[in-house]
Amino acid sequence: RREREGLRRDITEIRSVTDQIFAEISTGVMVVGPDGRIRLANRAIEKMLGMSLGNRVIVDIAATLPPGLVDLTGRGSDIAECEIRVRRDDSESVLLVGRSILASTDEAAGGVVLVATDITQLKEYETAAARKERLSEMGHLAAAVAHEIRNPLNAISIAAQRLESEVAPADHRDEFI
């Protein structure tokens, strides 16, 4: 009996810590049962999607979910990971959503786990880096064009200076310049 009470305390403690971790992590986690009902959803994914998800049926809220997310919840889907754009108010965020199937011998206990990470800032960095790369390439192109223009101009300038020194008239110089 004491051993059983000790095990219950251990299980309760482990469950408490697990629930706290699940609630506090910044990665969004959602578990969808085989019946399409959301069994678990942490605060992070609710914040990312801008809605409460607990114990709702995916089909009922499909119109309010970002395109692509509903496809990930189906067990027949081949998609393991995809980027999903979420529009809220005047902003857009990009989520990287991974999908795993919960294997179970009991059909009622299976389901799908979605893990979402907000990669909006990473995408902004990638866009900025690509823009800087394009600007750098344009700078190199402009320098090459300037060099190509300068070469013939230098030759013309040298020829003009030589002509001026060799052919310059002694009288009425202002008429020739």
Side-chain angles (χ1 to χ4, degrees), residues 79-125:
I79 306 167
E81 182 177 273
C82 71
E83 287 182 11
I84 294 177
R85 297 193 178 278
V86 179
R87 295 182 200 281
R88 279 184 286 136
D89 303 326
D90 293 336
S91 65
E92 179 180 85
S93 55
V94 182
L95 306 179
L96 180 63
V97 182
R99 170 184 181 270
S100 295
I101 294 178
L102 291 173
S104 176
T105 54
D106 179 14
E107 185 63 29
V112 176
V113 177
L114 300 181
V115 179
T117 305
D118 190 341
I119 59 169
T120 305
Q121 196 168 24
L122 178 64
K123 285 295 186 182
E124 289 170 0
Y125 291 151

Side-chain angles (χ1 to χ4, degrees), residues 144-158:
V145 168
H147 177 74
E148 292 300 320
I149 290 173
R150 237 181 290 126
N151 281 346
L153 288 178
N154 284 338
I156 293 169
S157 175
I158 291 169

Side-chain angles (χ1 to χ4, degrees), residues 7 20 35 47 50 54 60 62 69-70 100 102 122-123 159 165 176:
L7 287 174
Q20 187 175 1
D35 58 353
K47 184 178 176 187
D60 295 344
L69 190 65
V70 176
S100 295
L102 291 173
L122 178 64
K123 285 295 186 182
S165 67
F176 289 96

Side-chain angles (χ1 to χ4, degrees), residues 18-117:
T18 305
D19 289 347
Q20 187 175 1
I21 291 170
F22 182 73
E24 297 300 324
I25 60 174
S26 62
T27 301
V29 180
M30 178 169 59
V31 178
V32 180
D35 58 353
R37 183 170 298 281
I38 299 171
R39 297 198 174 173
L40 290 170
N42 69 350
R43 280 183 270 193
I45 198 154
E46 289 180 339
K47 184 178 176 187
M48 289 175 191
L49 298 175
M51 63 189 313
S52 176
L53 297 170
N55 204 30
R56 296 172 83 179
V57 179
I58 289 288
V59 181
D60 295 344
I61 60 172
T64 59
L65 292 173
L69 190 65
V70 176
D71 298 337
L72 289 171
T73 62
R75 289 181 65 104
S77 176
D78 296 0
I79 306 167
E81 182 177 273
C82 71
E83 287 182 11
I84 294 177
R85 297 193 178 278
V86 179
R87 295 182 200 281
R88 279 184 286 136
D89 303 326
D90 293 336
S91 65
E92 179 180 85
S93 55
V94 182
L95 306 179
L96 180 63
V97 182
R99 170 184 181 270
S100 295
I101 294 178
L102 291 173
S104 176
T105 54
D106 179 14
E107 185 63 29
V112 176
V113 177
L114 300 181
V115 179
T117 305

